[in-house]
Amino acid sequence: MFSYRHAFHAGNHGDVLKHAVLIALLRHLTLKDTALTVIDTHAGAGLYRLDGDYARTSSEAAAGVLRLLSDKKSAPGPVIKRKSAPDSGADEAPSPLLADYLDTLAGFNPGGGSSIYPGSPFIVQRLLRPQDRLKLFEMHPTDSRTLAANIAQLEAGRQVAVLREDGFSGLRRFLPPPSRRALVLCDPSYELKTDYAAVAEMLAEALKRFATGTYAVWYPLIPRPEAHDLPRRLKTLAQRAGRPWLNASLTVKSSRLPVRVDGAERRPGLPASGLFVVNPPHTLAPALQAALPQLVRWLAQDEHAHSGLEQGGN
Ligand code: SAM
């Protein structure tokens, strides 16, 4: 049933946005001593190799995280020349949110380079304190096995649980968490058209059970009615629950034009994505105001690249 494998997409521009924000959310939520429960409803395999066959085949990391690293840290790896503005910002220092993201990645590559890319489970686990808990849902038979094996190597004991179950329906079991502090990352593959409605239904129920949790939903911005509607539906849900929200988006290229990379024509691929956060920390919007224009400059693939940042309910 599932053909999506995140290994093909690890480190793409969607991951850059999602993981940079995830780190910022965790930094804020771990400032208070009270235990935090993190629930990743769609966890993937946990850890990826950017020098492996999957990543090489898709080259998505080359147009994502490897671009940032090649400019900022001279990491090895394919570099795609920017086709956009002459002001590419190549010499600019990364904003604090992006610097934290790049430093976190460097922590997974202690010998230098960028061959290991951490997925959300490994990023979260790295930033947890002993009192915190991590619940990981992953349904793909191969990826859930790989995830379980990767997590076992961390010897994290009871702190991390891997569940081979549907994350959409499994989330409710953990809400509200005992300490009444939770971060939920909902990052489906959107392989099924029904995923869009499932995200909205999941968030509606979660907000009823636990309105003060922090919820981060990643979504693709693609020319498809369900995708177009999703951020609007999420806003309505947050507004009805009386909760503040933030919606950040990053577009790297037009959704219509075929792209030419180093002279060769490529399939268009993901043009843009967004992250919708309910109950964001107050520090997130200013951090993104600095980071998003940099991501546009560094990751632009054509002149349609731009970012968006909206907030409500504050
Ligand atoms: N969150 C990961 C990260 O940032 O590293 C990437 C996750 S990937 C976009 C989505 C994953 O969800 C895939 O590995 C897919 O197999 C899995 N999946 C699809 N439907 C699911 C469901 N209903 N419940 C749990 N996992 C599911």
Side-chain angles (χ1 to χ4, degrees):
M1 178 169 141
F2 293 114
S3 61
Y4 180 95
R5 310 293 303 278
H6 197 65
F8 288 106
H9 310 285
N12 71 0
H13 60 86
D15 265 9
V16 172
L17 174 66
K18 175 200 335 172
H19 293 154
V21 173
L22 178 64
I23 291 166
L25 292 173
L26 285 161
R27 294 282 182 213
H28 185 86
L29 290 166
T30 51
L31 289 175
K32 264 195 193 169
D33 283 345
T34 318
L36 176 72
T37 299
V38 183
I39 303 145
D40 193 343
T41 59
H42 297 72
L47 210 53
Y48 305 94
R49 288 207 71 97
L50 296 186
D51 56 1
D53 288 346
Y54 290 116
R56 283 217 186 119
T57 306
S58 73
S59 321
E60 289 194 27
V65 66
L66 293 177
R67 270 197 185 193
L68 262 61
L69 289 167
S70 59
D71 280 347
K72 301 301 134 203
K73 300 207 160 162
S74 308
V79 179
I80 297 175
K81 285 211 171 26
R82 289 191 192 82
K83 294 185 164 52
S84 61
D87 170 23
S88 65
D91 301 326
E92 232 177 284
S95 75
L97 182 137
L98 295 178
D100 199 5
Y101 168 64
L102 294 173
D103 285 350
T104 305
L105 298 188
F108 286 91
N109 292 281
S114 52
S115 52
I116 304 292
Y117 188 81
S120 50
F122 270 65
I123 291 175
V124 175
Q125 195 277 337
R126 184 64 61 106
L127 301 183
L128 291 188
R129 302 136 332 148
Q131 66 268 40
D132 302 327
R133 295 289 176 266
L134 173 58
K135 313 291 181 194
L136 302 168
F137 288 93
E138 172 52 51
M139 279 217 340
H140 192 287
T142 310
D143 279 0
S144 67
R145 260 198 310 277
T146 309
L147 176 65
N150 283 335
I151 292 290
Q153 286 182 21
L154 293 172
E155 297 184 359
R158 294 182 51 187
Q159 186 176 44
V160 186
V162 177
L163 304 127
R164 191 170 154 188
E165 295 171 37
D166 175 17
F168 289 125
S169 57
L171 171 64
R172 66 171 72 98
R173 182 145 42 98
F174 296 107
L175 297 180
S179 67
R180 302 200 70 84
R181 298 189 69 238
L183 168 63
V184 176
L185 173 66
C186 179
D187 180 26
S189 47
Y190 298 94
E191 194 180 351
L192 305 174
K193 228 160 80 170
T194 51
D195 278 358
Y196 296 92
V199 167
E201 280 157 24
M202 188 205 77
L203 184 66
E205 186 183 356
L207 284 170
K208 274 192 200 133
R209 285 174 174 264
F210 185 49
T212 56
T214 299
Y215 299 90
V217 175
W218 183 88
Y219 57 90
L221 278 162
I222 49 176
R224 174 173 205 162
E226 300 84 5
H228 181 78
D229 281 352
L230 185 60
R232 199 175 40 77
R233 290 180 74 178
L234 299 178
K235 267 179 230 171
T236 306
L237 287 172
Q239 275 157 0
R240 277 200 197 133
R243 306 312 306 175
W245 56 268
L246 176 153
N247 186 28
S249 63
L250 175 65
T251 298
V252 298
K253 62 186 172 190
S254 159
S255 57
R256 291 193 186 83
L257 308 170
V259 264
R260 292 188 73 76
V261 177
D262 290 341
E265 195 155 292
R266 292 265 173 90
R267 281 193 301 136
L270 180 71
S273 72
L275 199 70
F276 190 89
V277 185
V278 183
N279 295 317
H282 62 279
T283 46
L284 186 58
L288 280 168
Q289 260 149 15
L292 284 169
Q294 287 192 318
L295 287 179
V296 172
R297 284 194 287 281
W298 293 339
L299 300 181
Q301 292 182 30
D302 67 26
E303 68 281 10
H304 298 274
H306 65 276
S307 62
L309 183 61
E310 306 170 86
Q311 298 179 77
N314 289 306

